[in-house]
Every structure is written in structure tokens, then in C-alpha cells.
Amino acid sequence: MSVIALVLAIAIGAEPTPPDPAPSPALARARLCWAAVDAERAEAALAQARAMLGDLVPEDQIAVLVLSAEVALSSDQPDVARVHLVAALERDPRLA
């Protein structure tokens, strides 16, 4: 929120809107590792992101789960990938 918008919100007595939460550093690290085709490090970063899944915004939760499924599939773990995809679909059925 800009300073001007904050001043205007205070002047008219409105509640200022909170800023958007910062993206997950673990998700960003996982994306970088996966882009570098380093599945082992991507999975380690994704494990950290999944540990704090409840603290992430819904878009990041889905991104973590979908990327986790992709990494699991590339590591020949279809059952693990299925678990992550089901969890992503439970959060957003439009993915189907």
C-alpha cells in the first residue's frame, strides 16, 4: 500500500488493507533448483515449504504441491506424486 493510500485511508477512517504476504523463500529456492534440474535440492526445499504449507497463501500452497508432484514423478515416485496432486486438487478443484 502506498503512503498516499494509507494517509487517505486514515483520513476517512477506513481500515487500511494489509500488504500481500511475501512469497515463500523455500518455494522460490525449490523453483530455482528445479530449473537447474537438481531434483534432490528441489525436494529438500519443497519439504521445507510443505512443512509450513498452512502459513502460505493459497496460490503458493498449490504451487508447492504441484511442483512436489512434478519432482516426485521425475524421481520415479508416482505414489508420492499422486498424494501431492490429490492435496492440490482438494485445495483447488479447478486444476482437474
Side-chain angles (χ1 to χ4, degrees):
M1 173 178 276
S2 70
V3 173
I4 294 172
L6 180 60
V7 170
L8 287 173
I10 292 171
I12 62 172
E15 292 281 329
T17 55
D20 290 335
S24 164
L27 176 57
R29 196 168 45 257
R31 285 178 171 154
L32 285 173
C33 292
W34 188 236
V37 193
D38 189 344
E40 187 175 317
R41 288 190 181 165
E43 177 52 39
L46 286 166
Q48 289 178 342
R50 286 191 306 269
M52 54 183 250
L53 201 61
D55 297 334
L56 302 177
V57 295
E59 295 82 18
D60 284 353
Q61 290 178 6
I62 293 168
V64 166
L65 293 167
V66 170
L67 187 56
S68 293
E70 189 175 339
V71 171
L73 278 175
S74 74
S75 302
D76 198 28
Q77 298 174 343
D79 293 336
V80 173
R82 186 175 301 112
V83 168
H84 295 310
L85 284 176
V86 167
L89 285 168
E90 287 173 350
R91 284 170 171 73
D92 190 355
R94 295 175 295 172
L95 293 174

